[in-house]
Coordinates of all heavy atoms in Angstrom, one line a residue:
Chain A
Y51 N -44.7 42.4 71.2 CA -43.8 42.8 70.1 C -43.8 41.7 69.0 O -44.0 40.5 69.3 CB -42.3 42.8 70.5 CG -42.1 43.7 71.7 CD1 -42.3 43.1 73.0 CD2 -41.5 45.0 71.7 CE1 -42.0 43.9 74.1 CE2 -41.3 45.7 72.8 CZ -41.6 45.2 74.0 OH -41.3 45.9 75.2
Q55 N -36.8 37.7 62.1 CA -35.4 37.2 62.1 C -35.0 36.6 60.8 O -35.6 35.4 60.5 CB -35.2 36.1 63.4 CG -33.8 35.7 63.5 CD -33.6 34.7 64.6 OE1 -34.5 34.1 65.0 NE2 -32.4 34.7 65.2
G58 N -29.0 34.2 60.0 CA -27.7 34.7 60.3 C -27.8 36.3 60.7 O -26.7 37.0 60.9
G60 N -29.6 39.5 63.2 CA -30.3 39.7 64.5 C -31.8 40.1 64.3 O -32.3 39.8 63.0
L63 N -37.4 44.9 64.6 CA -38.7 45.1 65.1 C -39.7 45.6 64.1 O -39.5 46.4 63.3 CB -38.7 46.2 66.2 CG -39.9 46.6 66.9 CD1 -40.4 45.4 67.8 CD2 -39.7 47.8 67.9
Y66 N -44.9 47.0 67.7 CA -45.1 46.6 69.1 C -46.3 47.3 69.6 O -46.8 48.2 68.9 CB -43.9 47.0 69.9 CG -43.6 48.4 70.1 CD1 -43.7 49.0 71.4 CD2 -42.9 49.0 69.1 CE1 -43.3 50.4 71.6 CE2 -42.5 50.4 69.3 CZ -42.7 51.1 70.5 OH -42.3 52.3 70.7
D77 N -39.1 49.3 63.0 CA -38.2 49.6 62.0 C -38.6 49.0 60.6 O -38.1 49.4 59.5 CB -36.8 49.3 62.4 CG -36.3 50.0 63.6 OD1 -36.5 51.2 63.8 OD2 -35.9 49.4 64.5
S112 N -43.4 41.8 77.3 CA -42.6 42.3 78.5 C -43.7 43.0 79.4 O -44.7 43.5 79.0 CB -41.5 43.3 78.2 OG -42.1 44.5 77.5
V115 N -43.2 48.7 79.2 CA -42.4 49.1 78.0 C -41.1 49.7 78.4 O -40.2 50.0 77.6 CB -43.2 50.2 77.2 CG1 -43.2 51.6 77.9 CG2 -42.8 50.3 75.9
S116 N -40.7 49.7 79.7 CA -39.5 50.3 80.2 C -38.3 49.4 80.5 O -38.3 48.9 81.7 CB -39.8 51.3 81.3 OG -38.7 51.8 81.8
N117 N -37.6 49.0 79.6 CA -36.3 48.2 79.8 C -36.5 47.0 80.7 O -35.9 46.9 81.7 CB -35.3 49.1 80.5 CG -34.7 50.2 79.5 OD1 -34.8 50.0 78.3 ND2 -34.1 51.2 80.0
E118 N -37.5 46.2 80.3 CA -37.7 44.9 81.0 C -37.3 43.8 80.2 O -37.4 44.0 78.9 CB -39.2 44.8 81.4 CG -39.7 45.9 82.2 CD -39.9 45.4 83.6 OE1 -39.7 44.3 84.0 OE2 -40.2 46.3 84.5
R119 N -37.0 42.7 80.7 CA -36.6 41.5 79.8 C -37.8 41.1 79.0 O -39.0 41.2 79.4 CB -36.2 40.4 80.7 CG -37.2 39.7 81.7 CD -36.6 38.6 82.4 NE -35.6 39.1 83.4 CZ -35.0 38.3 84.2 NH1 -35.2 37.0 84.2 NH2 -34.1 38.8 85.1
L120 N -37.5 40.6 77.8 CA -38.5 40.1 76.9 C -38.7 38.6 77.1 O -37.6 37.9 77.3 CB -38.1 40.5 75.5 CG -37.9 41.9 75.1 CD1 -37.4 42.0 73.7 CD2 -39.1 42.8 75.3
F122 N -40.0 35.4 74.9 CA -40.3 35.1 73.5 C -41.0 33.8 73.3 O -40.8 32.8 73.9 CB -38.9 34.9 72.7 CG -38.2 36.2 72.4 CD1 -37.4 36.8 73.4 CD2 -38.4 36.8 71.1 CE1 -36.7 38.0 73.0 CE2 -37.8 38.1 70.9 CZ -37.0 38.6 71.8
G123 N -41.8 33.7 72.1 CA -42.3 32.5 71.7 C -41.3 31.8 70.8 O -40.2 32.3 70.6
H124 N -41.7 30.6 70.3 CA -40.8 29.8 69.6 C -40.7 30.2 68.2 O -39.8 29.6 67.4 CB -41.1 28.3 69.7 CG -40.7 27.8 71.0 ND1 -40.8 26.4 71.3 CD2 -40.4 28.4 72.2 CE1 -40.4 26.2 72.6 NE2 -40.2 27.4 73.1
Chain B
Y38 N -29.2 50.2 78.7 CA -29.6 49.0 79.1 C -29.1 47.9 78.1 O -29.4 48.2 76.9 CB -31.1 48.9 79.3 CG -31.8 47.5 79.5 CD1 -31.5 47.0 80.7 CD2 -32.7 46.9 78.7 CE1 -32.0 45.7 81.1 CE2 -33.1 45.6 79.0 CZ -32.8 45.1 80.1 OH -33.4 43.8 80.5
Y42 N -29.4 37.6 75.2 CA -30.2 36.5 75.0 C -29.6 35.3 74.3 O -28.7 35.5 73.6 CB -31.4 37.0 74.1 CG -32.4 37.9 74.8 CD1 -32.1 39.3 74.8 CD2 -33.6 37.6 75.4 CE1 -32.9 40.2 75.4 CE2 -34.4 38.5 76.1 CZ -34.0 39.9 76.1 OH -34.9 40.7 76.7
Q44 N -30.4 31.7 72.2 CA -31.4 31.0 71.3 C -30.8 29.6 71.0 O -29.8 29.5 70.3 CB -31.6 31.8 70.0 CG -32.6 31.2 69.1 CD -32.9 32.0 67.9 OE1 -32.0 32.6 67.3 NE2 -34.2 32.1 67.4
G49 N -37.3 30.2 70.4 CA -37.2 31.6 70.6 C -36.0 32.0 71.4 O -35.3 31.2 71.9
L50 N -35.8 33.3 71.6 CA -34.8 33.8 72.5 C -35.1 33.7 73.9 O -36.3 33.8 74.3 CB -34.5 35.2 72.2 CG -33.5 35.4 71.0 CD1 -34.1 35.1 69.7 CD2 -33.1 36.9 70.8
F52 N -33.8 35.1 77.8 CA -33.0 36.0 78.5 C -32.0 35.3 79.3 O -32.3 34.3 80.0 CB -33.9 36.9 79.4 CG -33.1 37.8 80.3 CD1 -32.8 39.1 79.9 CD2 -32.9 37.4 81.6 CE1 -32.1 39.9 80.7 CE2 -32.2 38.2 82.4 CZ -31.9 39.5 82.1
R57 N -27.0 47.4 83.4 CA -27.5 48.7 83.2 C -26.3 49.6 83.4 O -25.3 49.3 84.0 CB -28.6 49.1 84.3 CG -29.8 48.1 83.9 CD -31.0 48.6 84.9 NE -31.9 47.5 84.8 CZ -33.1 47.6 84.1 NH1 -33.2 48.5 83.2 NH2 -33.8 46.5 84.0
F95 N -27.2 36.7 71.6 CA -27.5 37.9 70.9 C -27.2 39.0 72.1 O -27.7 38.8 73.2 CB -29.0 38.0 70.5 CG -29.3 37.2 69.4 CD1 -29.7 35.9 69.4 CD2 -29.1 37.7 68.0 CE1 -30.1 35.1 68.3 CE2 -29.4 37.0 66.9 CZ -29.8 35.6 67.1
S99 N -30.6 49.3 74.6 CA -31.7 50.2 74.5 C -31.5 51.5 75.4 O -30.7 51.4 76.2 CB -33.0 49.5 74.8 OG -33.2 49.3 76.0
R100 N -32.3 52.5 75.1 CA -32.3 53.6 75.9 C -33.0 53.4 77.2 O -33.9 52.6 77.3 CB -32.8 54.9 75.2 CG -31.9 55.3 74.0 CD -32.5 56.5 73.4 NE -31.6 57.2 72.4 CZ -31.7 58.4 71.9 NH1 -32.8 59.1 72.3 NH2 -30.9 58.9 71.1
N101 N -32.9 54.2 78.2 CA -33.7 54.2 79.4 C -35.2 54.6 79.0 O -35.4 55.4 78.1 CB -33.1 55.3 80.4 CG -33.6 55.0 81.7 OD1 -33.9 53.9 82.0 ND2 -33.8 56.1 82.5
N102 N -36.1 53.9 79.8 CA -37.5 54.1 79.5 C -38.0 54.0 78.1 O -38.9 54.7 77.7 CB -37.9 55.5 80.0 CG -37.6 55.6 81.5 OD1 -38.0 54.7 82.3 ND2 -37.2 56.9 82.0
N103 N -37.3 53.1 77.4 CA -37.7 52.9 76.0 C -37.3 51.4 75.6 O -36.2 51.1 75.6 CB -36.8 53.8 75.1 CG -37.2 53.7 73.7 OD1 -37.8 52.7 73.3 ND2 -36.8 54.7 72.9
N104 N -38.4 50.7 75.4 CA -38.1 49.3 75.1 C -37.8 48.9 73.6 O -38.1 47.9 73.1 CB -39.1 48.3 75.7 CG -38.5 47.2 76.4 OD1 -37.3 47.1 76.6 ND2 -39.3 46.2 76.8
R105 N -37.4 49.9 72.8 CA -36.9 49.7 71.5 C -35.6 49.2 71.6 O -34.6 49.9 71.8 CB -36.9 51.1 70.7 CG -38.2 51.6 70.4 CD -39.1 50.8 69.4 NE -38.3 50.8 68.1 CZ -38.5 51.6 67.1 NH1 -39.4 52.5 67.2 NH2 -37.9 51.5 66.0
G109 N -27.8 42.7 68.1 CA -26.7 42.4 67.3 C -27.1 41.1 66.4 O -28.2 40.6 66.6
D110 N -26.2 40.7 65.5 CA -26.6 39.7 64.6 C -26.4 38.2 65.2 O -26.6 37.3 64.5 CB -25.7 39.8 63.3 CG -26.1 40.8 62.4 OD1 -27.3 41.3 62.6 OD2 -25.5 41.2 61.4

Side-chain angles (χ1 to χ4, degrees):
Chain A
Y51 309 79
Q55 183 178 24
L63 182 64
Y66 68 107
D77 304 310
S112 64
V115 75
S116 179
N117 288 339
E118 302 256 353
R119 67 180 66 175
L120 302 179
F122 283 86
H124 285 194
Chain B
Y38 176 64
Y42 289 85
Q44 185 177 36
L50 278 67
F52 173 87
R57 297 180 192 269
F95 291 91
S99 72
R100 291 184 171 194
N101 197 29
N102 295 322
N103 180 344
N104 224 9
R105 289 289 297 268
D110 285 348

